[in-house]
Amino acid sequence: MVVQTAAASMAEESDEADGFAAAIRRETPRLLAIAHSILDDAAAAEDAVQESLLLAWRSWDRLRDPSRRQAWMVRICVRHALRTRRLRLARMRHEADTATDVAELPAHLADSPVDWPSAWRAFSPSQRAVLTLHYHHGYTLDESAAAMGCRPGTARRHLHRALEKLRREVEA
Amino acid sequence: MNIERSHLHDYLAHREEMAARLTVADRVVRNVEARTLDRAPGGVGRGRMLLVVATVAVLLLAGIGVPRLLLAHHHSSGQWQPAGPPQGVPDRRPPAGIALVWVRDPASFQRAIALDRNGRPMGWLPVGYMMQGETVTQSGDGQRIITGDGQSYELTAQGQRIDLPPTALDLGGGAYEPYDVFFSDDEQSVCIEQGPWGTPRNLVLVDGSGHVSTSIPEAPADNPSWLSWHVVTCSVRNDVAVLVGDPDAQRAAGPQPPPTQTTTHLPNGQNVSSIGVGGSVSAPKNVQVPAGGPYHIIRVVRLSTGREIARRVYGAQTPQPVDASEDGTLVLETLGTGGGHVLRNIASGAVVGTVGPATGLLGNTVAQNDVWTGSGPRSYSVVDIPSGRVLWSLSAPLGLKVTYPALDQLAVTQVYQGLDCPSHADVTITDLAGGVTHRVTLDTCGGG
């Protein structure tokens, strides 16, 4: 009886583990892109995604609806990135990031009245999150707010302020 | 569509393309797999799960019944022993006068647990709201923590609440944008970078009673429109704060004039000026910084008066300041891609040591020649400054958070958070000498 229980448990574990392994291989690049967008720091993004995935693993077997796992992982990652405190170590500049960002900017963006890399760094993490989720990943503002763990009105306010900043820079 | 939105779409696509080129995705997957795939979901290892199953079977056979089991382990010098708080432990203040390390109670996100230096739970303190972060912001000796939902406040280890001036921007509707709030090196004063990023904000110092003892503008007096500063050190003991200017954010905030003069006021009364050539302080003379940039600037100011006592300017292609020591005497400068860092005495300009790449300063140790360094959240070392020799180091497991509760102690903390079930807290406390490591694992799955 005990042996059967253990075997059945192991089989379920194996299925869950296989599902998790496939999920992290599929989702990690996207989660890295989102975290990098919010944190603007490759090392911090790497840490945030790793920690998010470990958090996801902790509750992986409790989320019975596999179709919700993708959105769930994004939500964990976004919230984790937003919670990442601005530690001193996170303030270290990663020159490669900056260099790549500027050097390979498409021509029409390089000629834009907006200095995009600088403008992006001037956004708050919450503003970066709502811009990324809403404008790039197609989330509605309500969905963005849910992913960020804030009220829809707050997400709208973040978006409004971010666009105001951009507008001022274009006008300047 | 407006140009800013059209270009915003393009820029976000560009960012994703850049992120896709990051070579870390495979490493992340490997690391996570290494931490998870030999374990069952939920964080229990297979071997341990089998052990639990067998234990339950034995208990059933023995007719003992299955009480709700809470497993907790205490590790000291290689010996694992049962420890940790039982489920439903009542609130309890820790004994006065002992150094503490605080972690969020995994059984209740509304409480914090105080551990002593041996990792033994000594107190359970209600904080009055659902704590969100993984770690608790605490003073070095653990006699105070900063907590709060939205606006923060202090709690002493004995549960006394000390209100603080505003620590977040109230966005309305119950939403807040938090400012940076942290303890100074005297164990009781609190430093607050008050104001949203990109606005004229102040560094506010709050004394142990919650009263504002000083409030100084972060922007320099000779260029008050230069708003993009981070406080990296706030030392009450030495009456200094170290601020680093961010030229990229400065440019994004709008064109601002560069500093017209860069002056270092040495303690002996001599004034020297510098431009960022190798990050060195040059002979006394006034130097006009040419337009353009970007510039990285580090400024040392008196906390009590706001008076600037030193400034260094780094040009675009020269070493850049990335960190400063706890006492405000040392700055860590990059040497370029992959080249490591140099430690420089801010006041004298002298290079006092070198450390490896991807390293940050965590603080000075009791021995003034030593310095804590950290390489990301994974490796921590005590380095002898003159020789660069690593005296002692700790390789922390992936993803752990570090607090630095005292000069001679390091705590590594992680609280795992599930969706519905807060499940796991893991604390490692290591003495500087490196000889003793205490590890506490609190496993529980209870209501909040």
Side-chain angles (χ1 to χ4, degrees):
Chain A
M1 178 69 179
V2 172
V3 173
Q4 285 176 345
T5 302
S9 172
M10 292 289 281
E12 285 179 13
E13 279 176 34
S14 179
D15 290 344
E16 297 288 355
D18 290 346
F20 184 73
I24 60 174
R25 291 189 177 281
R26 186 179 61 247
E27 295 299 326
T28 294
R30 190 160 79 122
L31 297 179
L32 272 174
I34 291 173
H36 187 254
S37 201
I38 294 171
L39 296 167
D40 201 35
D41 182 306
E46 180 183 351
D47 291 339
V49 171
Q50 285 176 162
E51 292 179 32
S52 301
L53 292 174
L54 292 173
L55 291 177
W57 174 250
R58 291 271 161 189
S59 301
W60 188 254
D61 57 341
R62 299 192 192 100
L63 195 70
R64 294 299 177 192
D65 183 357
S67 66
R68 295 175 56 196
R69 280 176 168 161
Q70 184 188 44
W72 177 64
M73 292 172 82
V74 170
R75 191 169 72 203
I76 292 176
C77 180
V78 169
R79 292 187 184 186
H80 195 81
L82 289 175
R83 275 207 310 269
T84 298
R85 199 163 172 277
R86 209 155 43 90
L87 291 172
R88 194 175 304 151
L89 285 175
R91 291 175 184 155
M92 294 169 59
R93 279 280 171 200
H94 291 268
E95 295 171 348
D97 276 11
T98 308
T100 305
D101 214 4
V102 174
E104 302 190 22
L105 206 60
H108 71 290
L109 291 179
D111 295 337
S112 164
V114 177
D115 180 344
W116 282 100
S118 299
W120 193 256
R121 291 187 192 99
F123 291 139
S124 71
S126 296
Q127 290 171 340
R128 293 177 196 153
V130 70
L131 288 171
T132 302
L133 294 171
H134 183 57
Y135 277 106
H136 191 58
H137 290 279
Y139 281 52
T140 66
L141 280 173
D142 286 359
E143 289 168 341
S144 301
M148 295 163 63
C150 66
R151 301 178 187 198
T154 305
R156 287 188 175 82
R157 200 155 30 234
H158 286 310
L159 182 64
H160 175 73
R161 289 186 178 183
L163 293 177
E164 275 294 307
K165 278 187 187 176
L166 282 179
R167 210 163 287 131
R168 281 199 301 272
E169 184 147 349
V170 170
E171 290 168 1
Chain B
M1 181 177 284
N2 296 332
I3 183 172
E4 66 267 20
R5 296 197 188 194
S6 167
H7 284 190
L8 175 60
H9 279 289
D10 294 346
Y11 181 64
L12 287 167
H14 165 71
R15 285 194 64 88
E16 182 160 40
E17 188 184 335
M18 291 299 103
R21 295 183 190 180
L22 296 175
T23 55
V24 299
D26 287 345
R27 187 164 72 225
V28 170
V29 170
R30 281 198 306 273
N31 286 340
V32 173
E33 283 178 346
R35 289 287 304 279
T36 58
L37 295 188
D38 63 337
R39 293 165 174 268
V44 182
R46 284 182 181 173
R48 194 165 141 192
M49 173 167 278
L50 287 173
L51 180 64
V52 170
V53 170
T55 303
V56 169
V58 169
L59 291 174
L60 285 172
L61 287 172
I64 296 173
V66 188
R68 187 169 189 182
L69 292 178
L70 291 168
L71 301 178
H73 302 280
H74 175 214
H75 179 232
S76 178
S77 302
Q79 299 298 316
W80 286 86
Q81 301 165 4
Q87 178 81 347
V89 67
D91 298 339
R92 193 172 83 200
R93 293 174 183 173
I98 61 171
L100 299 168
V101 177
W102 290 86
V103 297
R104 187 178 60 182
D105 185 348
S108 168
F109 282 16
Q110 299 187 51
R111 287 201 309 188
I113 302 178
L115 307 170
D116 71 6
R117 290 193 170 200
N118 294 319
R120 292 177 300 219
M122 304 299 287
W124 287 262
L125 185 67
V127 297
Y129 78 104
M130 295 293 283
M131 301 169 76
Q132 296 295 321
E134 288 84 359
T135 56
V136 179
T137 302
Q138 68 165 79
S139 61
D141 58 7
Q143 297 307 304
R144 294 162 182 254
I145 63 174
I146 294 174
T147 186
D149 188 9
Q151 297 294 349
S152 298
Y153 51 88
E154 274 186 79
L155 273 182
T156 68
Q158 301 307 310
Q160 180 193 358
R161 174 174 169 149
I162 301 171
D163 288 324
L164 295 171
T167 59
L169 177 67
D170 189 346
L171 299 172
Y176 294 89
E177 187 164 323
Y179 307 146
D180 267 6
V181 183
F182 48 95
F183 281 101
S184 182
D185 57 357
D186 68 343
E187 320 293 12
Q188 56 180 341
S189 298
V190 172
C191 305
I192 306 171
E193 285 197 85
Q194 207 170 59
W197 172 256
T199 67
R201 59 182 184 176
N202 285 356
L203 173 58
V204 175
L205 183 68
V206 183
D207 67 18
S209 304
H211 299 121
V212 174
S213 54
T214 183
S215 176
I216 58 175
E218 292 192 356
D222 61 350
N223 194 347
S225 60
W226 190 294
L227 302 176
S228 308
W229 299 91
H230 291 299
V231 175
V232 294
T233 289
C234 176
S235 169
V236 168
R237 286 180 175 173
N238 291 312
D239 190 22
V240 295
V242 179
L243 300 98
V244 173
D246 184 334
D248 297 320
Q250 165 68 12
R251 284 191 299 158
Q256 303 291 344
T260 55
Q261 181 178 325
T262 61
T263 305
T264 300
H265 310 284
L266 298 181
N268 60 7
Q270 184 185 32
N271 292 339
V272 298
S273 299
S274 65
I275 186 172
V277 180
S280 63
V281 177
S282 61
K285 60 184 178 182
N286 291 337
V287 177
Q288 298 295 316
V289 177
Y295 304 103
H296 286 78
I297 297 180
I298 192 163
R299 297 167 48 232
V300 185
V301 301
R302 286 279 176 228
L303 259 180
S304 55
T305 62
R307 185 172 68 88
E308 187 173 295
I309 55 176
R311 179 188 294 192
R312 294 180 60 79
V313 179
Y314 301 79
Q317 302 304 320
T318 62
Q320 297 170 358
V322 294
D323 213 342
S325 61
E326 293 278 318
D327 63 1
T329 61
L330 299 176
V331 61
L332 189 70
E333 298 171 353
T334 65
L335 280 174
T337 306
H341 304 292
V342 297
L343 282 164
R344 189 185 299 275
N345 184 296
I346 296 175
S348 70
V351 173
V352 295
T354 59
V355 292
T359 301
L361 286 175
L362 296 178
N364 295 38
T365 69
V366 283
Q368 287 300 307
N369 274 342
D370 300 338
V371 64
W372 274 103
T373 64
S375 171
R378 298 189 187 86
S379 177
Y380 305 91
S381 304
V382 181
V383 177
D384 175 62
I385 292 177
S387 67
R389 189 165 58 93
V390 174
L391 301 177
W392 179 87
S393 66
L394 167 72
S395 293
L398 174 72
L400 295 188
K401 299 289 185 186
V402 165
T403 55
Y404 186 66
L407 290 176
D408 58 348
Q409 191 180 38
L410 178 73
V412 183
T413 307
Q414 182 167 31
V415 177
Y416 294 108
Q417 178 183 0
L419 264 192
D420 306 312
C421 172
S423 58
H424 189 94
D426 189 328
V427 184
T428 302
I429 302 170
T430 303
D431 289 341
L432 177 63
V436 183
T437 295
H438 303 288
R439 182 176 176 187
V440 182
T441 303
L442 309 172
D443 275 357
T444 183
C445 185

